[in-house]
Amino acid sequence: MPPSIRLFLAAYPPDSIVALLQSRATALPLPDHKPVPTDQVHITLVFLGDRRSAALPQIETSIAASCKGVRPCIVRPRRLVTLPEKGPARLVAAETDAPPPLLELHKRLAHRLAARDKRSTAFLPHLTLLRFPGAGADFHTATDLATPDHDPSTLAFEVRTVCLMKSTLHPLGVRHELLREFALG
């Protein structure tokens, strides 16, 4: 393993939910965009950044301790939003609700593992569905997923695990690799 690896902690929805959300997002009148690969759509619980490979056992111990006593929870996508809210949009995401177990999990993980300057960053649970190329797009939306034609409960999914992911930058895009999965409870 290299001396340093780029890490993040994530919760993943089922592929079927990702497909439904991306279908809803691409139905918007979007400028040029690129969908995020289905297997990369996730809620980032905490971004750890570059860490020494030698620290991996300690990181895993902290994740396991953070997951203890946090029960699985249902997460509900609520609306499609562009981020950032101000200036050119770089992406379209499905903003989700924030059930108490998810908030507790984020708090524990951030307290144990996040860099001190990242601990105070507001947690906005979301699933990045597509990205705009270059400097972004002059496009903004905050579209409710609940409509007369769409029941938002079909988009809900259960978070039962936390995934420790390795992120590697490549000329053709980012690659995510699962290092270890931790059960909640």
Side-chain angles (χ1 to χ4, degrees):
M1 208 177 267
S4 151
I5 50 179
R6 184 181 171 141
L7 302 172
F8 66 94
L9 300 169
Y12 284 83
D15 290 350
S16 59
I17 298 297
V18 173
L20 288 170
L21 289 168
Q22 286 184 322
S23 173
R24 294 286 301 275
T26 57
L28 296 171
L30 298 168
D32 186 34
H33 63 279
K34 183 177 178 182
V36 172
T38 301
D39 64 340
Q40 291 186 11
V41 174
H42 63 275
I43 295 174
T44 301
L45 298 168
V46 176
F47 179 72
L48 301 178
D50 290 325
R51 298 294 176 100
R52 294 182 343 263
S53 296
L56 205 49
Q58 181 182 0
I59 290 169
E60 290 177 345
T61 299
S62 289
I63 297 167
S66 296
C67 291
K68 280 190 184 209
V70 176
R71 62 185 199 283
C73 61
I74 302 296
V75 174
R76 294 170 179 82
R78 297 290 190 206
R79 62 188 187 143
L80 297 173
V81 297
T82 42
L83 297 173
E85 291 178 4
K86 295 182 181 182
R90 292 192 316 264
L91 59 92
V92 173
E95 183 181 271
T96 72
D97 65 350
L102 190 70
L103 293 176
E104 178 63 22
L105 180 61
H106 166 74
K107 179 178 143 188
R108 289 179 183 193
L109 292 167
H111 177 74
R112 288 176 170 269
L113 294 164
R116 295 207 188 285
D117 61 335
K118 298 287 184 188
R119 289 184 188 169
S120 62
T121 304
F123 178 51
L124 174 68
H126 67 277
L127 302 157
T128 299
L129 302 172
L130 59 89
R131 295 185 183 281
F132 298 115
D138 186 23
F139 173 81
H140 290 280
T141 191
T143 305
D144 285 335
L145 287 165
T147 68
D149 298 331
H150 294 95
D151 176 5
S153 68
T154 62
L155 301 171
F157 61 95
E158 188 172 29
V159 173
R160 299 181 138 286
T161 62
V162 171
C163 297
L164 174 60
M165 303 298 295
K166 175 183 170 185
S167 174
T168 307
L169 304 175
H170 288 276
L172 297 176
V174 177
R175 291 190 186 151
H176 295 169
E177 176 187 342
L178 174 65
L179 296 181
R180 186 164 167 204
E181 200 165 2
F182 300 83
L184 297 180

